[in-house]
Amino acid sequence: MTTGGVFEVQGVPSGGVPTRDNLPPSRVADLAVAGVSYADVSVTLRWTASGDDFDQGGPAHYVDLRHGRHLNQLADDFFGSTQVNQSQLLLGNLTSPPTPGHVQTVIIRVPERGDNVTFAFSLRMCDEEDNCGPPSNTVTSNLEHIPGPITVNNTVTWVIVGCVAGVVVLVAILVLLYFKVCRFKKEIKQAKSIHPDSAKDNPSYVPTV
């Protein structure tokens, strides 16, 4: 460290030197996809807001948020990608960022959804003098429909289980009765073959004297 000494500024304009904000907000490095809704055709984004001058001062003036269908497209040509406007937001505000260090969340309605539909997002924060920080990290989200788990009412489940169990028991009883009847008939047939009816047992028999 050293002292700067003493110096004199000459030729100062009347009224002083006009001041201008030349410091942009810091680069956002933690942009993340917090949620995707196939039903609402929307994507939830979240990041930490930077300041008016790097990460200091008041909040930035607005957020320049852009999206594209491919990650490389957005990474290679940020300024040629589609800019998200306030009318596309279901939640949040791009023109009123929070104070530096606070988390900002927005929900964006995207143009389409379906199989193989992917969107990439990136942003930069800007101050009131249109000084903007570098584009943030790039994130992607998929708008493919993923069916949820099928839930069945427990009462209905137990009724179905009870009906199936009742049918199984009834079938088992009928099969058991069938085999018992068949066995009984077989035993009678065997008994007749061993002890045939005698002539006396024949009602048409008439004894001779």
Side-chain angles (χ1 to χ4, degrees):
M1 298 178 61
T2 182
T3 59
V6 179
F7 62 92
E8 180 182 358
V9 178
Q10 297 180 348
V12 177
S14 175
V17 178
T19 59
R20 186 178 186 276
D21 184 359
N22 292 315
L23 300 178
S26 296
R27 175 180 182 266
V28 173
D30 63 349
L31 176 64
V33 175
V36 177
S37 173
Y38 181 85
D40 295 335
V41 200
S42 66
V43 177
T44 303
L45 298 177
R46 185 174 297 161
W47 67 92
T48 302
S50 54
D52 183 274
D53 301 320
F54 297 116
D55 60 350
Q56 301 297 317
H61 189 58
Y62 66 94
V63 179
D64 182 9
L65 175 60
R66 303 188 181 234
H67 70 77
R69 283 297 307 273
H70 305 287
L71 188 146
N72 292 337
Q73 170 192 351
L74 190 61
D76 296 340
D77 188 12
F78 177 86
F79 300 102
S81 302
T82 304
Q83 187 174 30
V84 178
N85 56 54
Q86 189 64 37
S87 64
Q88 292 177 255
L89 265 59
L90 300 178
L91 177 70
N93 198 320
L94 296 176
T95 58
S96 299
T99 55
H102 285 71
V103 175
Q104 183 171 2
T105 302
V106 296
I107 300 179
I108 307 164
R109 183 183 293 278
V110 292
E112 58 181 311
R113 62 184 174 183
D115 297 343
N116 300 320
V117 175
T118 300
F119 286 96
F121 298 91
S122 183
L123 61 85
R124 59 179 187 160
M125 304 197 74
C126 306
D127 63 17
E128 66 279 359
E129 296 292 337
D130 288 332
N131 298 314
C132 300
S136 69
N137 60 302
T138 305
V139 296
T140 60
S141 61
N142 185 270
L143 270 293
E144 181 178 353
H145 176 60
I146 301 176
I150 299 175
T151 56
V152 181
N153 186 284
N154 289 334
T155 303
V156 175
T157 302
W158 283 113
V159 169
I160 294 174
V161 171
C163 291
V164 172
V167 170
V168 171
V169 172
L170 179 61
V171 170
I173 293 173
L174 292 176
V175 170
L176 182 62
L177 289 175
Y178 173 78
F179 280 106
K180 281 187 173 295
V181 170
C182 291
R183 184 178 178 183
F184 180 72
K185 289 183 177 180
K186 186 176 181 181
E187 289 177 352
I188 293 176
K189 187 175 181 180
Q190 289 177 349
K192 287 185 177 181
S193 62
I194 296 174
H195 305 286
D197 294 338
S198 62
K200 292 182 179 180
D201 295 329
N202 189 349
S204 62
Y205 171 75
V206 179
T208 56
V209 180

